[in-house]
Amino acid sequence: MNPKPRSHNDYAVGWVCALSKEQTAAIAVLDETHDDLPKPPNDHNTYILGSIGDHNIVITCLPEGKIGTSSAATAVVQMVRTFPAIKSGLMVGIGGGIPPKVRLGDVVVSKPTGQYPGVVQWDSGKAEDGGKFVRTDKSRAINRKPREMKVHYGLITSGNQVVKDATFRDNLNKDLGGNVLCVEMEAAGLMGNFPCIVIRGVCDYADSHKNKAWQEHAAAVAAAFAKELLGHVQPSDLEGERAVKDILNSISNDVSSIKDNMTCIGLI
């Protein structure tokens, strides 16, 4: 007997990547892949469908060269419109770690810390030694003793600019109470549109030594952790949750109502 064809409403987990190498890692941890489903002409995302255990998962990746918070927000809005039953979100990929707490190859998972939510947008512009060109001095690189990979739970900062300056990175961490574990470029764009857990494999230290040597490894460990996490969540745990699309519609209606009230009393 042929299995019942899947529909858009059969997918409850949305998985977002920013880079193709992150998507490659995500596909690699799927237990099986599914046939494509049609999408509206105004949805410009490309989707990979599959499953991990009993979870049906939609994976999408931002368009090549379109990284940052606004691109991420656009992608997830289109995703939840096309797959209206999505109730849980994952943003999985790579990021810059804050030493010495975090090391290359570690995994950082967003978690509310103190007065801050799990992800904070700093987004204050260029962050590379005042915009000046900085030559990487490999003689100043710190050689750290190898150790086992660790998973850290805490604060992730997000913005539209690449952080390549240790001084800026450390000041950013200081401004947020010394609680920052990771810096990256997309998660803040999701938090208002796609309630999700952000998982980052650490590929560099967000300083002038930033390079791509650890990116594939970091993407792989982040995807592996995401799979492990889903293994501890039963599909029945999501059944009572509201669909992300419904949450967004509710927020939109509330905002419209507030604007109407402000107009009535002459505030706008």
Side-chain angles (χ1 to χ4, degrees):
M1 180 181 296
N2 292 328
K4 178 184 176 182
R6 297 181 181 88
S7 73
H8 297 84
N9 288 319
D10 290 322
Y11 292 85
V13 178
W15 181 315
V16 181
C17 306
L19 303 173
S20 59
K21 63 187 66 180
E22 297 170 350
Q23 185 181 49
T24 298
I27 295 170
V29 301
L30 292 174
D31 293 332
E32 63 175 283
T33 56
H34 301 164
D35 292 337
D36 293 340
L37 290 171
K39 62 178 184 176
N42 60 346
D43 183 348
H44 303 296
N45 291 340
T46 298
Y47 299 109
I48 301 295
L49 307 179
S51 60
I52 292 176
D54 293 326
H55 295 285
N56 288 333
I57 299 168
V58 186
I59 300 173
T60 194
C61 185
L62 304 189
E64 192 74 25
K66 299 290 186 180
I67 57 177
T69 58
S70 59
S71 294
T74 299
V76 298
V77 167
Q78 293 178 343
M79 173 189 270
V80 298
R81 286 175 179 168
T82 300
F83 295 89
I86 290 177
K87 296 181 177 181
S88 178
L90 298 172
M91 179 77 187
V92 186
I94 60 177
I98 309 297
K101 295 176 286 187
V102 178
R103 297 276 293 275
L104 296 175
D106 284 357
V107 171
V108 176
V109 183
S110 61
K111 177 184 177 182
T113 302
Q115 62 180 310
Y116 304 107
V119 175
V120 174
Q121 183 168 3
W122 60 267
D123 207 12
S124 57
K126 188 67 175 176
E128 188 174 357
D129 288 349
K132 298 179 180 179
F133 175 78
V134 179
R135 182 182 298 277
T136 300
D137 182 358
K138 294 184 179 180
S139 67
R140 298 177 62 187
I142 299 174
N143 293 317
R144 295 179 170 88
K145 294 181 180 180
R147 64 158 170 76
E148 293 294 319
M149 182 271 282
K150 292 184 178 180
V151 178
H152 308 264
Y153 299 86
L155 193 60
I156 295 174
T157 60
S158 180
N160 282 303
Q161 299 292 331
V162 177
V163 177
K164 297 181 180 180
D165 174 30
T167 301
F168 180 91
R169 175 202 69 199
D170 292 343
N171 287 337
L172 179 63
N173 184 30
K174 182 179 179 180
D175 290 343
L176 293 171
N179 295 312
V180 179
L181 298 174
C182 178
V183 296
E184 56 90 78
M185 293 183 62
E186 291 81 27
L190 302 188
M191 305 318 290
N193 299 289
F194 190 56
C196 66
I197 296 174
V198 181
I199 301 169
R200 292 303 193 191
V202 175
C203 63
D204 58 60
Y205 293 120
D207 57 15
S208 61
H209 302 287
K210 184 180 181 72
N211 59 68
K212 298 182 179 181
W214 278 76
Q215 288 189 354
E216 283 78 8
H217 178 90
V221 294
F225 178 85
K227 179 173 184 174
E228 181 75 13
L229 177 64
L230 287 172
H232 292 278
V233 179
Q234 298 299 318
S236 58
D237 295 335
L238 301 179
E239 289 178 359
E241 299 295 326
R242 295 176 67 191
V244 174
K245 182 180 180 181
D246 294 338
I247 295 173
L248 296 183
N249 287 339
S250 177
I251 293 172
S252 178
N253 291 336
D254 289 344
V255 171
S256 296
S257 178
I258 292 171
K259 286 183 176 179
D260 290 343
N261 290 336
M262 293 177 70
T263 300
C264 288
I265 62 177
L267 293 179
I268 58 174

